[in-house]
Structure formats: C-alpha cells, structure tokens
Amino acid sequence: MKKLIKFLANSQSHFINLSRISIFVVMVWIGGLKVFQYEAEGIVPFVVHSPLMSFFYTKEVPEYQDYKNPEGKTVQKNVDWHKANNTYLFAYGLGALIVLIGLLTLMGIWFDKIGMIGGLLTFGMSIVTLTFLITTPEVYVPNLGGDFPTPEYGFPYLSAAGRLVLKDIIMLAAGLICAADSAKRILYKERWA
C-alpha cells in the first residue's frame, strides 16, 4: 500500500497531463462529429432553448420538434428545414471551436500559456453546457403517460440528454486543474527567470 501511495503522490503531473489528453480526445471526437448531420441536428434542442446561443438559428423554438430526424434516418424535408435554420452551419462553427479548445488544452503539456488558455476555455465551455440543465426541457424525463401515472418525471430525473450534459461538470473541474497547473508552471518559470 505504501508503494501505491508513493507512486500516486509522485505522479500528479503525469495525471494532469492525462487529463489534458482526455480533454483533447473528448473535444476532438465530439467537435469532429459536429460536421455530421445527425450530430448537428442532435444539438438543436440545446441551442434553441439557450439564451446564449439561440440567436444563431433562424426558426422559432417549438418548430424544431416537427423536423427531428431520428439518428440513422434521413428525411429530406427535415434536412431542408435544418439548412434554412442554420443548424449545420452553426454546428460546423461550434465543432471547430470545440476542436480548437481541445488542441489548446493538449498543448499545455509543452506550452504553459497556451495550456492555461485551453484549460480556461474548457472551463468556460463547460459552464455554458451546464446551463442546458436550466434551459432545455429535454434534459429531464418527460411525463408521457401510459397505463398508469408516471411517478418519475421532471426534475431531478435526468433523461439521456441530461445525463450527457451533467457529465460536463467533470470537464469543468479538469479544465480548471489544467489551467491551474499551467499557471503554476508560469509562475515557477518567472520566479527563476
């Protein structure tokens, strides 16, 4: 047990770099998927309800529900609606931003100031994502009725979308840890410069 404790205590900087790599993998994968139709359409409920992002779209809030393409299915009228809504264009821009944040965070392994910016941007992006827990109805289990009353719906019962959003609280913390590590290294270098 003592060896494990010593190993963990001496490996913190490696684990912080593992956090940077983890953020990079998640950001590049998720950001990269934004160029695909199903992912671009999948973020519509989050964006359309967000006071921070809804202005990027041209259509009204409730209308998007009539133009959902289930994952793996393409309906041309729905695709046309999403083109007119700027769904795909917004997703391309958002995806590029997410990939860039991942790259900046990863570069913190070698470049302290760039890594600090990446960590802070990861933190900021996570705060925006977590606001969806307040603004997006789809993050909670709906009451769809059935043969008997649904006892578990609404807050605090997270839907699949809600569980996906809540996990960003880990990204929020990891971004701050990476930013703090980069800041610490910057101060150390300035002290000895």
Side-chain angles (χ1 to χ4, degrees):
M1 183 60 128
K2 199 168 190 177
K3 287 182 180 180
L4 176 62
I5 292 170
K6 188 172 182 179
F7 169 76
L8 292 172
N10 292 328
S11 300
Q12 183 178 9
S13 64
H14 299 297
F15 297 149
I16 292 172
N17 284 339
L18 179 60
S19 294
R20 289 182 171 104
I21 293 166
S22 300
I23 289 170
F24 169 76
V25 169
V26 169
M27 298 288 215
V28 169
W29 198 334
I30 297 298
L33 285 176
K34 298 286 185 267
V35 302
F36 295 98
Q37 175 185 317
Y38 87 96
E39 176 67 17
E41 293 171 5
I43 64 172
V44 170
F46 300 109
V47 176
V48 79
H49 290 287
S50 171
L52 302 172
M53 291 185 276
S54 61
F55 64 91
F56 286 107
Y57 287 166
T58 60
K59 303 291 184 180
E60 294 298 316
V61 171
E63 194 176 341
Y64 74 92
Q65 294 182 3
D66 297 330
Y67 296 96
K68 289 181 179 180
N69 276 327
E71 288 183 16
K73 183 177 182 179
T74 302
V75 178
Q76 188 61 48
K77 76 171 180 71
N78 296 349
V79 172
D80 294 341
W81 184 90
H82 283 288
K83 284 180 183 175
N85 187 44
N86 293 329
T87 298
Y88 305 122
L89 186 61
F90 174 74
Y92 300 155
L94 180 61
L97 177 63
I98 291 170
V99 168
L100 177 64
I101 292 170
L103 287 168
L104 292 174
T105 304
L106 177 69
M107 290 176 70
I109 294 173
W110 305 283
F111 305 102
D112 302 330
K113 289 180 182 175
I114 294 172
M116 184 177 72
I117 292 166
L120 289 172
L121 288 172
T122 299
F123 171 77
M125 187 200 74
S126 299
I127 287 177
V128 171
T129 302
L130 288 167
T131 66
F132 298 151
L133 292 171
I134 299 166
T135 61
T136 308
E138 285 88 346
V139 299
Y140 297 103
V141 174
N143 184 358
L144 298 176
D147 294 338
F148 52 89
T150 305
E152 291 107 10
Y153 65 90
F155 180 84
Y157 304 105
L158 293 170
S159 66
R163 293 188 299 271
L164 179 71
V165 168
L166 185 62
K167 288 191 284 187
D168 253 52
I169 202 162
I170 299 168
M171 292 288 280
L172 178 140
L176 278 181
I177 289 168
C178 292
D181 179 66
S182 292
K184 181 179 171 184
R185 291 181 355 214
I186 290 167
L187 289 175
Y188 179 80
K189 286 177 183 176
E190 287 177 359
R191 185 178 304 145
W192 296 106

PDB file of all heavy atoms in Angstrom, residues 81-107:
ATOM      1  N   TRP A  81     -35.296  21.891 -43.755  1.00  0.00           N
ATOM      2  CA  TRP A  81     -35.633  22.787 -42.648  1.00  0.00           C
ATOM      3  C   TRP A  81     -34.378  23.165 -41.867  1.00  0.00           C
ATOM      4  O   TRP A  81     -34.165  24.329 -41.517  1.00  0.00           O
ATOM      5  CB  TRP A  81     -36.663  22.129 -41.727  1.00  0.00           C
ATOM      6  CG  TRP A  81     -37.129  23.032 -40.629  1.00  0.00           C
ATOM      7  CD1 TRP A  81     -38.187  23.881 -40.661  1.00  0.00           C
ATOM      8  CD2 TRP A  81     -36.531  23.187 -39.332  1.00  0.00           C
ATOM      9  NE1 TRP A  81     -38.295  24.568 -39.464  1.00  0.00           N
ATOM     10  CE2 TRP A  81     -37.293  24.151 -38.635  1.00  0.00           C
ATOM     11  CE3 TRP A  81     -35.439  22.613 -38.694  1.00  0.00           C
ATOM     12  CZ2 TRP A  81     -36.985  24.547 -37.338  1.00  0.00           C
ATOM     13  CZ3 TRP A  81     -35.129  23.017 -37.395  1.00  0.00           C
ATOM     14  CH2 TRP A  81     -35.893  23.963 -36.729  1.00  0.00           C
ATOM     15  N   HIS A  82     -33.527  22.178 -41.590  1.00  0.00           N
ATOM     16  CA  HIS A  82     -32.309  22.437 -40.825  1.00  0.00           C
ATOM     17  C   HIS A  82     -31.341  23.332 -41.595  1.00  0.00           C
ATOM     18  O   HIS A  82     -30.649  24.160 -40.998  1.00  0.00           O
ATOM     19  CB  HIS A  82     -31.636  21.126 -40.418  1.00  0.00           C
ATOM     20  CG  HIS A  82     -32.325  20.453 -39.272  1.00  0.00           C
ATOM     21  ND1 HIS A  82     -32.264  20.933 -37.990  1.00  0.00           N
ATOM     22  CD2 HIS A  82     -33.118  19.358 -39.230  1.00  0.00           C
ATOM     23  CE1 HIS A  82     -32.977  20.157 -37.182  1.00  0.00           C
ATOM     24  NE2 HIS A  82     -33.503  19.194 -37.924  1.00  0.00           N
ATOM     25  N   LYS A  83     -31.301  23.175 -42.915  1.00  0.00           N
ATOM     26  CA  LYS A  83     -30.461  24.088 -43.708  1.00  0.00           C
ATOM     27  C   LYS A  83     -30.962  25.517 -43.568  1.00  0.00           C
ATOM     28  O   LYS A  83     -30.179  26.445 -43.370  1.00  0.00           O
ATOM     29  CB  LYS A  83     -30.465  23.660 -45.179  1.00  0.00           C
ATOM     30  CG  LYS A  83     -29.613  22.445 -45.452  1.00  0.00           C
ATOM     31  CD  LYS A  83     -29.656  22.070 -46.927  1.00  0.00           C
ATOM     32  CE  LYS A  83     -28.846  20.806 -47.175  1.00  0.00           C
ATOM     33  NZ  LYS A  83     -28.969  20.354 -48.578  1.00  0.00           N
ATOM     34  N   ALA A  84     -32.266  25.703 -43.668  1.00  0.00           N
ATOM     35  CA  ALA A  84     -32.852  27.041 -43.538  1.00  0.00           C
ATOM     36  C   ALA A  84     -32.691  27.597 -42.123  1.00  0.00           C
ATOM     37  O   ALA A  84     -32.651  28.819 -41.930  1.00  0.00           O
ATOM     38  CB  ALA A  84     -34.335  27.001 -43.914  1.00  0.00           C
ATOM     39  N   ASN A  85     -32.574  26.737 -41.144  1.00  0.00           N
ATOM     40  CA  ASN A  85     -32.433  27.132 -39.738  1.00  0.00           C
ATOM     41  C   ASN A  85     -30.992  27.472 -39.362  1.00  0.00           C
ATOM     42  O   ASN A  85     -30.735  27.933 -38.256  1.00  0.00           O
ATOM     43  CB  ASN A  85     -32.947  25.991 -38.837  1.00  0.00           C
ATOM     44  CG  ASN A  85     -32.985  26.376 -37.382  1.00  0.00           C
ATOM     45  OD1 ASN A  85     -33.421  27.452 -37.021  1.00  0.00           O
ATOM     46  ND2 ASN A  85     -32.519  25.479 -36.526  1.00  0.00           N
ATOM     47  N   ASN A  86     -30.039  27.227 -40.243  1.00  0.00           N
ATOM     48  CA  ASN A  86     -28.599  27.381 -39.969  1.00  0.00           C
ATOM     49  C   ASN A  86     -28.070  26.310 -39.017  1.00  0.00           C
ATOM     50  O   ASN A  86     -27.007  26.474 -38.414  1.00  0.00           O
ATOM     51  CB  ASN A  86     -28.262  28.771 -39.408  1.00  0.00           C
ATOM     52  CG  ASN A  86     -28.482  29.873 -40.402  1.00  0.00           C
ATOM     53  OD1 ASN A  86     -28.339  29.667 -41.605  1.00  0.00           O
ATOM     54  ND2 ASN A  86     -28.855  31.046 -39.927  1.00  0.00           N
ATOM     55  N   THR A  87     -28.796  25.209 -38.882  1.00  0.00           N
ATOM     56  CA  THR A  87     -28.387  24.127 -37.981  1.00  0.00           C
ATOM     57  C   THR A  87     -26.988  23.627 -38.323  1.00  0.00           C
ATOM     58  O   THR A  87     -26.136  23.495 -37.439  1.00  0.00           O
ATOM     59  CB  THR A  87     -29.386  22.957 -38.062  1.00  0.00           C
ATOM     60  OG1 THR A  87     -30.674  23.417 -37.638  1.00  0.00           O
ATOM     61  CG2 THR A  87     -28.952  21.786 -37.203  1.00  0.00           C
ATOM     62  N   TYR A  88     -26.759  23.331 -39.589  1.00  0.00           N
ATOM     63  CA  TYR A  88     -25.481  22.732 -39.997  1.00  0.00           C
ATOM     64  C   TYR A  88     -24.344  23.744 -39.928  1.00  0.00           C
ATOM     65  O   TYR A  88     -23.254  23.428 -39.437  1.00  0.00           O
ATOM     66  CB  TYR A  88     -25.597  22.114 -41.386  1.00  0.00           C
ATOM     67  CG  TYR A  88     -26.720  21.110 -41.497  1.00  0.00           C
ATOM     68  CD1 TYR A  88     -27.741  21.276 -42.424  1.00  0.00           C
ATOM     69  CD2 TYR A  88     -26.786  20.014 -40.644  1.00  0.00           C
ATOM     70  CE1 TYR A  88     -28.790  20.365 -42.511  1.00  0.00           C
ATOM     71  CE2 TYR A  88     -27.825  19.098 -40.717  1.00  0.00           C
ATOM     72  CZ  TYR A  88     -28.822  19.281 -41.652  1.00  0.00           C
ATOM     73  OH  TYR A  88     -29.859  18.386 -41.731  1.00  0.00           O
ATOM     74  N   LEU A  89     -24.594  24.953 -40.385  1.00  0.00           N
ATOM     75  CA  LEU A  89     -23.562  25.991 -40.357  1.00  0.00           C
ATOM     76  C   LEU A  89     -23.115  26.271 -38.918  1.00  0.00           C
ATOM     77  O   LEU A  89     -21.919  26.350 -38.630  1.00  0.00           O
ATOM     78  CB  LEU A  89     -24.086  27.271 -41.018  1.00  0.00           C
ATOM     79  CG  LEU A  89     -23.093  28.395 -41.197  1.00  0.00           C
ATOM     80  CD1 LEU A  89     -21.938  27.958 -42.089  1.00  0.00           C
ATOM     81  CD2 LEU A  89     -23.792  29.615 -41.799  1.00  0.00           C
ATOM     82  N   PHE A  90     -24.073  26.398 -38.007  1.00  0.00           N
ATOM     83  CA  PHE A  90     -23.729  26.627 -36.602  1.00  0.00           C
ATOM     84  C   PHE A  90     -22.926  25.449 -36.041  1.00  0.00           C
ATOM     85  O   PHE A  90     -21.938  25.637 -35.343  1.00  0.00           O
ATOM     86  CB  PHE A  90     -24.984  26.845 -35.754  1.00  0.00           C
ATOM     87  CG  PHE A  90     -24.683  26.938 -34.287  1.00  0.00           C
ATOM     88  CD1 PHE A  90     -24.085  28.064 -33.760  1.00  0.00           C
ATOM     89  CD2 PHE A  90     -24.962  25.877 -33.436  1.00  0.00           C
ATOM     90  CE1 PHE A  90     -23.783  28.151 -32.402  1.00  0.00           C
ATOM     91  CE2 PHE A  90     -24.661  25.949 -32.085  1.00  0.00           C
ATOM     92  CZ  PHE A  90     -24.070  27.092 -31.568  1.00  0.00           C
ATOM     93  N   ALA A  91     -23.343  24.227 -36.376  1.00  0.00           N
ATOM     94  CA  ALA A  91     -22.650  23.041 -35.866  1.00  0.00           C
ATOM     95  C   ALA A  91     -21.209  22.985 -36.365  1.00  0.00           C
ATOM     96  O   ALA A  91     -20.309  22.588 -35.620  1.00  0.00           O
ATOM     97  CB  ALA A  91     -23.401  21.770 -36.262  1.00  0.00           C
ATOM     98  N   TYR A  92     -20.970  23.391 -37.617  1.00  0.00           N
ATOM     99  CA  TYR A  92     -19.596  23.391 -38.139  1.00  0.00           C
ATOM    100  C   TYR A  92     -18.730  24.359 -37.337  1.00  0.00           C
ATOM    101  O   TYR A  92     -17.599  24.039 -36.960  1.00  0.00           O
ATOM    102  CB  TYR A  92     -19.557  23.792 -39.612  1.00  0.00           C
ATOM    103  CG  TYR A  92     -20.341  22.900 -40.542  1.00  0.00           C
ATOM    104  CD1 TYR A  92     -20.823  23.380 -41.744  1.00  0.00           C
ATOM    105  CD2 TYR A  92     -20.613  21.570 -40.226  1.00  0.00           C
ATOM    106  CE1 TYR A  92     -21.551  22.575 -42.614  1.00  0.00           C
ATOM    107  CE2 TYR A  92     -21.346  20.759 -41.075  1.00  0.00           C
ATOM    108  CZ  TYR A  92     -21.809  21.273 -42.273  1.00  0.00           C
ATOM    109  OH  TYR A  92     -22.528  20.477 -43.119  1.00  0.00           O
ATOM    110  N   GLY A  93     -19.262  25.557 -37.085  1.00  0.00           N
ATOM    111  CA  GLY A  93     -18.507  26.541 -36.307  1.00  0.00           C
ATOM    112  C   GLY A  93     -18.265  26.087 -34.879  1.00  0.00           C
ATOM    113  O   GLY A  93     -17.155  26.220 -34.350  1.00  0.00           O
ATOM    114  N   LEU A  94     -19.311  25.535 -34.254  1.00  0.00           N
ATOM    115  CA  LEU A  94     -19.178  25.048 -32.883  1.00  0.00           C
ATOM    116  C   LEU A  94     -18.176  23.893 -32.822  1.00  0.00           C
ATOM    117  O   LEU A  94     -17.335  23.846 -31.921  1.00  0.00           O
ATOM    118  CB  LEU A  94     -20.538  24.596 -32.342  1.00  0.00           C
ATOM    119  CG  LEU A  94     -20.548  24.059 -30.909  1.00  0.00           C
ATOM    120  CD1 LEU A  94     -20.090  25.119 -29.919  1.00  0.00           C
ATOM    121  CD2 LEU A  94     -21.937  23.544 -30.555  1.00  0.00           C
ATOM    122  N   GLY A  95     -18.255  22.992 -33.776  1.00  0.00           N
ATOM    123  CA  GLY A  95     -17.319  21.864 -33.816  1.00  0.00           C
ATOM    124  C   GLY A  95     -15.879  22.326 -33.935  1.00  0.00           C
ATOM    125  O   GLY A  95     -14.984  21.821 -33.246  1.00  0.00           O
ATOM    126  N   ALA A  96     -15.635  23.319 -34.815  1.00  0.00           N
ATOM    127  CA  ALA A  96     -14.278  23.847 -34.973  1.00  0.00           C
ATOM    128  C   ALA A  96     -13.783  24.476 -33.675  1.00  0.00           C
ATOM    129  O   ALA A  96     -12.631  24.279 -33.277  1.00  0.00           O
ATOM    130  CB  ALA A  96     -14.252  24.871 -36.111  1.00  0.00           C
ATOM    131  N   LEU A  97     -14.657  25.209 -32.987  1.00  0.00           N
ATOM    132  CA  LEU A  97     -14.291  25.820 -31.706  1.00  0.00           C
ATOM    133  C   LEU A  97     -13.958  24.754 -30.662  1.00  0.00           C
ATOM    134  O   LEU A  97     -12.954  24.867 -29.946  1.00  0.00           O
ATOM    135  CB  LEU A  97     -15.419  26.713 -31.201  1.00  0.00           C
ATOM    136  CG  LEU A  97     -15.203  27.367 -29.834  1.00  0.00           C
ATOM    137  CD1 LEU A  97     -14.004  28.308 -29.871  1.00  0.00           C
ATOM    138  CD2 LEU A  97     -16.455  28.100 -29.386  1.00  0.00           C
ATOM    139  N   ILE A  98     -14.760  23.709 -30.595  1.00  0.00           N
ATOM    140  CA  ILE A  98     -14.526  22.637 -29.619  1.00  0.00           C
ATOM    141  C   ILE A  98     -13.195  21.936 -29.896  1.00  0.00           C
ATOM    142  O   ILE A  98     -12.414  21.665 -28.974  1.00  0.00           O
ATOM    143  CB  ILE A  98     -15.710  21.645 -29.617  1.00  0.00           C
ATOM    144  CG1 ILE A  98     -16.959  22.325 -29.040  1.00  0.00           C
ATOM    145  CG2 ILE A  98     -15.376  20.379 -28.828  1.00  0.00           C
ATOM    146  CD1 ILE A  98     -18.238  21.529 -29.217  1.00  0.00           C
ATOM    147  N   VAL A  99     -12.916  21.657 -31.175  1.00  0.00           N
ATOM    148  CA  VAL A  99     -11.638  21.025 -31.537  1.00  0.00           C
ATOM    149  C   VAL A  99     -10.479  21.942 -31.156  1.00  0.00           C
ATOM    150  O   VAL A  99      -9.471  21.485 -30.601  1.00  0.00           O
ATOM    151  CB  VAL A  99     -11.602  20.664 -33.039  1.00  0.00           C
ATOM    152  CG1 VAL A  99     -10.195  20.279 -33.486  1.00  0.00           C
ATOM    153  CG2 VAL A  99     -12.582  19.532 -33.342  1.00  0.00           C
ATOM    154  N   LEU A 100     -10.616  23.232 -31.421  1.00  0.00           N
ATOM    155  CA  LEU A 100      -9.566  24.188 -31.071  1.00  0.00           C
ATOM    156  C   LEU A 100      -9.314  24.209 -29.568  1.00  0.00           C
ATOM    157  O   LEU A 100      -8.155  24.199 -29.123  1.00  0.00           O
ATOM    158  CB  LEU A 100      -9.952  25.594 -31.557  1.00  0.00           C
ATOM    159  CG  LEU A 100      -8.968  26.707 -31.192  1.00  0.00           C
ATOM    160  CD1 LEU A 100      -7.614  26.477 -31.863  1.00  0.00           C
ATOM    161  CD2 LEU A 100      -9.544  28.062 -31.581  1.00  0.00           C
ATOM    162  N   ILE A 101     -10.373  24.210 -28.770  1.00  0.00           N
ATOM    163  CA  ILE A 101     -10.204  24.184 -27.310  1.00  0.00           C
ATOM    164  C   ILE A 101      -9.461  22.921 -26.884  1.00  0.00           C
ATOM    165  O   ILE A 101      -8.570  22.961 -26.030  1.00  0.00           O
ATOM    166  CB  ILE A 101     -11.568  24.304 -26.606  1.00  0.00           C
ATOM    167  CG1 ILE A 101     -12.157  25.696 -26.826  1.00  0.00           C
ATOM    168  CG2 ILE A 101     -11.431  24.018 -25.098  1.00  0.00           C
ATOM    169  CD1 ILE A 101     -13.605  25.843 -26.367  1.00  0.00           C
ATOM    170  N   GLY A 102      -9.816  21.788 -27.470  1.00  0.00           N
ATOM    171  CA  GLY A 102      -9.111  20.541 -27.162  1.00  0.00           C
ATOM    172  C   GLY A 102      -7.628  20.618 -27.500  1.00  0.00           C
ATOM    173  O   GLY A 102      -6.772  20.178 -26.723  1.00  0.00           O
ATOM    174  N   LEU A 103      -7.310  21.188 -28.652  1.00  0.00           N
ATOM    175  CA  LEU A 103      -5.905  21.329 -29.052  1.00  0.00           C
ATOM    176  C   LEU A 103      -5.143  22.260 -28.118  1.00  0.00           C
ATOM    177  O   LEU A 103      -4.009  21.959 -27.725  1.00  0.00           O
ATOM    178  CB  LEU A 103      -5.822  21.860 -30.491  1.00  0.00           C
ATOM    179  CG  LEU A 103      -6.183  20.872 -31.590  1.00  0.00           C
ATOM    180  CD1 LEU A 103      -6.341  21.590 -32.932  1.00  0.00           C
ATOM    181  CD2 LEU A 103      -5.134  19.776 -31.692  1.00  0.00           C
ATOM    182  N   LEU A 104      -5.760  23.380 -27.763  1.00  0.00           N
ATOM    183  CA  LEU A 104      -5.101  24.320 -26.847  1.00  0.00           C
ATOM    184  C   LEU A 104      -4.830  23.674 -25.494  1.00  0.00           C
ATOM    185  O   LEU A 104      -3.757  23.869 -24.906  1.00  0.00           O
ATOM    186  CB  LEU A 104      -5.964  25.574 -26.668  1.00  0.00           C
ATOM    187  CG  LEU A 104      -6.115  26.483 -27.891  1.00  0.00           C
ATOM    188  CD1 LEU A 104      -7.124  27.594 -27.601  1.00  0.00           C
ATOM    189  CD2 LEU A 104      -4.778  27.062 -28.334  1.00  0.00           C
ATOM    190  N   THR A 105      -5.794  22.910 -25.015  1.00  0.00           N
ATOM    191  CA  THR A 105      -5.614  22.237 -23.718  1.00  0.00           C
ATOM    192  C   THR A 105      -4.493  21.206 -23.804  1.00  0.00           C
ATOM    193  O   THR A 105      -3.642  21.135 -22.913  1.00  0.00           O
ATOM    194  CB  THR A 105      -6.930  21.594 -23.263  1.00  0.00           C
ATOM    195  OG1 THR A 105      -7.948  22.601 -23.226  1.00  0.00           O
ATOM    196  CG2 THR A 105      -6.798  20.970 -21.887  1.00  0.00           C
ATOM    197  N   LEU A 106      -4.475  20.424 -24.856  1.00  0.00           N
ATOM    198  CA  LEU A 106      -3.407  19.426 -25.043  1.00  0.00           C
ATOM    199  C   LEU A 106      -2.041  20.092 -25.100  1.00  0.00           C
ATOM    200  O   LEU A 106      -1.071  19.593 -24.527  1.00  0.00           O
ATOM    201  CB  LEU A 106      -3.655  18.622 -26.315  1.00  0.00           C
ATOM    202  CG  LEU A 106      -2.572  17.593 -26.659  1.00  0.00           C
ATOM    203  CD1 LEU A 106      -2.596  16.448 -25.649  1.00  0.00           C
ATOM    204  CD2 LEU A 106      -2.758  17.068 -28.074  1.00  0.00           C
ATOM    205  N   MET A 107      -1.951  21.231 -25.784  1.00  0.00           N
ATOM    206  CA  MET A 107      -0.668  21.913 -25.935  1.00  0.00           C
ATOM    207  C   MET A 107      -0.109  22.391 -24.598  1.00  0.00           C
ATOM    208  O   MET A 107       1.070  22.721 -24.498  1.00  0.00           O
ATOM    209  CB  MET A 107      -0.804  23.067 -26.924  1.00  0.00           C
ATOM    210  CG  MET A 107      -1.014  22.562 -28.350  1.00  0.00           C
ATOM    211  SD  MET A 107      -1.293  23.887 -29.535  1.00  0.00           S
ATOM    212  CE  MET A 107       0.335  24.614 -29.582  1.00  0.00           C
TER     213      MET A 107
END
